[in-house]
């Protein structure tokens, strides 16, 4: 090491090895471009100092003849690698109008420093909010102290727990913000709807590559198909200033597109054009429309690299492959994954270099294998096909975010939590505005107990998909696991308002009532569930009742030979966890399907036994991380937090 090279720096869950030019997070190296690491090394080498943008450009690039968007992109990559965002920065701070500053976390007097100089640790220090008291430590404590443990865990967690988070509902529209409403299928041919929807989604993807332009995702924008709302109402609901509308008709070898860019506030047209082009020139036409819209909004590409990123088009230019891909995408969004896999297979047969189609093919087959009731041999074959597809996608396009996400899902379903964590972080780094990546990795990171990161991904997805009910619902579940029950209730209500009646069970509200110790509300919610879940939910809800005879009777009814226990073993495990019966909890967990076990480490009921050797052994045997490493709170810790706030 040269004298000018700083010693390794460890902070929070991260460590910087300056000599090795590596950033590690939770012991996993984060892939960074050389220029991105150089910026990080410059800022972190002198914590607290403000570097102007020109100083950074001179030091790292040697000149200033680059677009401002390049540095913006690098800072975004660094924040993703460090697990933070600009709205809740811990380390990388923007000094508006000047430049950037790297700060180390504040250390309380007498507390050992989190930033350590010396050799880079193989595994960075465990963050304070995830630290847990071991059972052996508890046995050595005076008898009057064990009741403090849940409270101490909550207080240690509170530094993250009460950190302000970005608003999740659409706020005032930013000046450069747009929603692409689904292009009208002007030919009225239902068989061509996938084509008009696919072109709409392509425009969303293309516009997302322009600097400073907020683009609403497909799920939220497509809710306004055939809407009678005026432009002002749509703009307000989506939080955007502009709407791109139009129609498309494919007639033989000709594509006819009408497109208009309007101001949402008053519906006035900013730009409009009509196109009649040969179908074989479709890709050039898509580019022409995106450039025209960007020109009208006066925005430019994020960086030169953005233009070369793999998109949704086949690299060989096969219109037939693209057509198969669009059909597969239609079934993907409909959650008909076997049909999606069939069309994606056709797309890659027509163009074997079609990386994004390989990525979707992998995701489709792994989802089918993990969540359907296939015979074991069939599921194994679909997992094999998924692995082949993911390998092909990454070989063809190592920088494709959805390909890394596809690999992450495979590793998650195979209980390789470290591999899944690294791949999801890479996927989000490469595709920070891809709704499918954010949603999928939100599930993965929550499932392996990385609650803080999972919540941040859900919040990012809220900003581009403000009307996506599933995301509101999953965000609420994570908030509840963090003990933020009031906010969780708020987002559950939003999800219910956005969903079709009955599309989300009321069980999550029941779990919040259990966390509050409100047996009457929990029981009432359980009674309103449909059969056969009613008896199972009653068995869970009644375990917090002071009437032990009623609790026993409710559980016995759920366990009856004619009851639903055989189809809901995980729910029975939750009931036994509330009773504190670790043996029977683990017994029922062993009967549960893998797709229930995937998300066990974000379940406050099961985490009530997080320090029990039997649950720890079950996680080890299954391949899950130790339950003590999960950042989610147990039901007891959530209650302790509520008691502390009331004091």
């Amino acid at each position: 090491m040269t004298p000018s090279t700083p010693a390794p720096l460890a902070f929070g869950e991260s460590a910087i090895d300056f000599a090795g030019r590596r950033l590690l997070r939770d012991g996993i190296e984060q892939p960074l471009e050389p220029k991105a690491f150089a910026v990080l090394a410059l800022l972190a080498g002198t914590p607290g100092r403000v570097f102007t943008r020109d100083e950074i450009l001179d030091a790292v690039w040697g000149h200033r003849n680059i677009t401002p968007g390049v540095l913006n992109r690098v800072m975004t990559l660094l924040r993703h690698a460090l697990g933070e965002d600009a709205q809740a920065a811990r380390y990388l701070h923007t000094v508006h109008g000047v430049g950037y500053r790297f700060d180390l976390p504040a250390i309380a007097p007498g507390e050992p420093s989190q930033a350590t100089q010396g050799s880079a640790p193989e595994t960075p220090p465990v963050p304070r909010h995830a630290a847990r008291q071991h059972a052996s430590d508890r046995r050595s404590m005076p008898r009057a102290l064990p009741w403090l443990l849940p409270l101490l865990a909550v207080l240690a967690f509170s530094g993250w727990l009460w950190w302000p988070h970005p608003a999740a509902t659409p706020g005032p529209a930013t000046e450069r913000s747009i929603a692409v409403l689904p292009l009208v299928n002007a030919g009225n041919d239902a068989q061509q709807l996938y084509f008009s929807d696919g072109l709409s989604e392509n425009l969303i993807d293309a516009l997302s590559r322009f600097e400073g332009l907020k683009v609403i995702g497909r799920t939220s924008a497509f809710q306004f198909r055939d809407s009678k709302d005026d432009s002002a109402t749509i703009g307000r609901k989506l939080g955007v200033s502009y709407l791109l509308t139009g129609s498309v008709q494919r007639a033989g070898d000709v594509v006819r597109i009408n497109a208009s860019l309007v101001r949402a506030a008053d519906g006035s047209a900013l730009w409009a054009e009509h196109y009649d082009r040969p179908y074989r020139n479709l890709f050039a036409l898509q580019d022409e429309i995106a450039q025209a819209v960007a020109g009208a909004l006066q925005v430019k590409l994020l960086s030169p690299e953005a233009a070369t990123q793999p998109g949704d088009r086949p690299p060989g230019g096969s219109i037939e492959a693209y057509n198969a891909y669009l059909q597969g995408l239609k079934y993907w969004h409909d959650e008909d994954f076997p049909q999606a896999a069939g069309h994606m297979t056709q797309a890659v047969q027509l163009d074997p270099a079609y990386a994004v189609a390989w990525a979707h093919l992998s995701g489709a087959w792994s989802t089918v294998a993990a969540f359907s009731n296939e015979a074991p041999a069939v599921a194994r074959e679909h997992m094999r096909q998924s692995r082949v597809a993911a390998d092909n996608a990454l070989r063809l396009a190592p920088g494709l975010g959805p390909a890394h996400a596809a690999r992450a899902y495979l590793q998650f379903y195979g209980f390789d939590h470290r591999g899944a964590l690294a791949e999801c972080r890479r996927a989000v780094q490469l595709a920070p505005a891809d709704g499918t990546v954010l949603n999928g990795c939100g599930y993965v990171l929550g499932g392996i107990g990385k609650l803080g990161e999972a919540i941040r991904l859900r919040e990012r997805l809220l900003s581009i998909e403000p009307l996506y009910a599933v995301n509101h619902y999953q965000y609420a579940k994570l908030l509840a696991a963090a003990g933020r029950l009031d906010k969780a209730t708020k987002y559950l209500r939003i999800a219910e308002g956005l969903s079709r009646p009955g599309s989300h069970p009321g069980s999550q509200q029941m779990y919040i009532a259990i966390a509050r110790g409100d047996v009457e509300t929990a029981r009432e919610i359980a009674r309103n569930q449909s059969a056969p879940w009613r008896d199972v939910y009653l068995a869970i809800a009644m375990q917090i009742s002071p009437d032990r005879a009623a609790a026993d009777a409710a559980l016995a009814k759920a366990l009856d030979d004619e009851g639903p226990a055989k189809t809901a073993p995980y729910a029975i495990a939750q009931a036994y966890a509330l009773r504190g019966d670790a043996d029977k909890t683990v017994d029922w967990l062993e009967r549960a399907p893998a797709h229930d076990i995937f998300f066990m480490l974000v379940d406050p009921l099961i985490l009530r036994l997080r320090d029990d050797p039997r649950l720890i052994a079950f996680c080890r045997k299954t391949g899950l991380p130790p339950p003590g490493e999960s950042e989610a709170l147990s039901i007891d810790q959530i209650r302790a937090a509520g008691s502390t706030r009331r004091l």
Side-chain angles (χ1 to χ4, degrees), residues 265-278:
D266 58 11
S268 59
L270 188 64
W271 165 87
E273 190 59 78
H274 171 80
Y275 303 89
D276 267 357
R277 299 291 170 79

Side-chain angles (χ1 to χ4, degrees), residues 233-455:
T233 301
I234 295 174
R236 184 173 63 254
K237 289 180 178 179
L238 292 174
V240 295
S241 296
Y242 299 95
L243 302 173
L244 182 62
T245 65
S247 63
V248 60
Q249 181 178 7
R250 179 182 169 188
D253 293 332
V254 175
V255 177
R256 297 189 175 112
I257 295 180
N258 288 295
S260 300
L261 179 67
V262 303
R263 294 181 179 86
D266 58 11
S268 59
L270 188 64
W271 165 87
E273 190 59 78
H274 171 80
Y275 303 89
D276 267 357
R277 299 291 170 79
Y279 181 50
R280 64 179 181 274
N281 293 342
L282 177 65
F283 300 148
L285 175 56
Q286 290 171 332
D287 289 340
E288 186 176 344
I289 295 172
Q291 289 290 347
V293 173
L297 295 175
Q298 298 182 333
V299 293
K300 298 180 180 179
L301 276 174
L302 282 167
S303 67
E305 294 89 345
T308 63
Q309 286 294 310
D312 65 353
R313 301 173 186 171
S318 168
I319 291 291
E320 292 75 16
Y322 184 64
N323 190 60
Y325 170 80
L326 291 184
Q327 292 185 68
L329 206 60
K330 184 263 184 193
Y331 286 107
W332 176 281
H333 289 302
D334 290 344
E335 298 187 0
D336 186 344
F337 294 107
Q339 286 275 18
H343 288 289
M344 292 299 175
T345 298
Q346 184 183 4
V348 299
Q349 288 172 342
L350 290 165
D351 188 341
Y354 205 166
V356 72
W358 280 114
H360 278 88
L361 178 59
S362 174
W365 277 137
S366 64
T367 301
V368 170
F371 292 97
S372 67
N373 295 319
E374 294 184 319
V378 176
R380 285 193 296 271
E381 173 59 18
H382 284 155
M383 281 297 187
R384 185 196 67 79
Q385 292 175 312
S386 177
R387 282 191 294 274
V388 170
D391 289 345
N392 284 337
L394 288 167
R395 174 178 54 82
L396 292 164
L400 182 63
H404 286 276
R407 173 69 62 78
Y409 308 150
L410 273 168
Q411 292 168 319
F412 179 62
Y413 300 149
F415 294 99
D416 176 6
H417 59 280
R418 295 184 71 83
L421 177 63
E423 289 289 357
C424 262
R425 285 175 173 169
R426 181 61 172 152
V428 172
Q429 182 185 55
L430 291 166
D434 187 309
T436 299
V437 169
L438 295 177
N439 186 47
C441 286
Y443 281 111
V444 170
L445 293 177
I448 60 180
K450 294 295 182 183
L451 193 64
E453 286 182 79
I455 285 177

Side-chain angles (χ1 to χ4, degrees), residues 537-588:
Y537 286 146
L538 275 170
I540 296 171
M542 290 304 296
Q543 300 315 308
I544 64 169
S545 171
D547 186 344
R548 300 319 299 159
D552 294 344
L555 182 56
K557 185 175 182 182
L559 291 171
D560 187 271
D561 288 341
E562 302 301 321
K566 291 182 180 179
T567 60
Y570 185 85
I572 300 299
Q574 289 178 307
Y576 276 116
L578 277 176
R579 293 170 75 92
D581 189 331
D583 283 332
K584 290 186 176 178
T585 298
V586 171
D587 178 48
W588 283 92

Side-chain angles (χ1 to χ4, degrees), residues 200-267:
S200 306
E201 190 161 356
N202 173 271
L203 288 169
I204 292 172
D205 177 68
L207 292 172
S208 297
R209 300 175 184 230
F210 289 89
E211 181 181 5
L213 183 62
K214 174 185 174 182
V215 184
I216 295 298
R218 177 193 193 278
T219 302
S220 297
F222 275 40
Q223 291 196 27
F224 294 95
R225 187 194 303 276
D226 302 324
S227 173
K228 303 302 181 185
D229 289 339
D230 59 22
S231 63
T233 301
I234 295 174
R236 184 173 63 254
K237 289 180 178 179
L238 292 174
V240 295
S241 296
Y242 299 95
L243 302 173
L244 182 62
T245 65
S247 63
V248 60
Q249 181 178 7
R250 179 182 169 188
D253 293 332
V254 175
V255 177
R256 297 189 175 112
I257 295 180
N258 288 295
S260 300
L261 179 67
V262 303
R263 294 181 179 86
D266 58 11

Side-chain angles (χ1 to χ4, degrees), residues 64 247 439 475 582 605 608:
R64 302 175 191 173
S247 63
N439 186 47
Y475 182 48
L605 274 62
R608 189 165 189 260

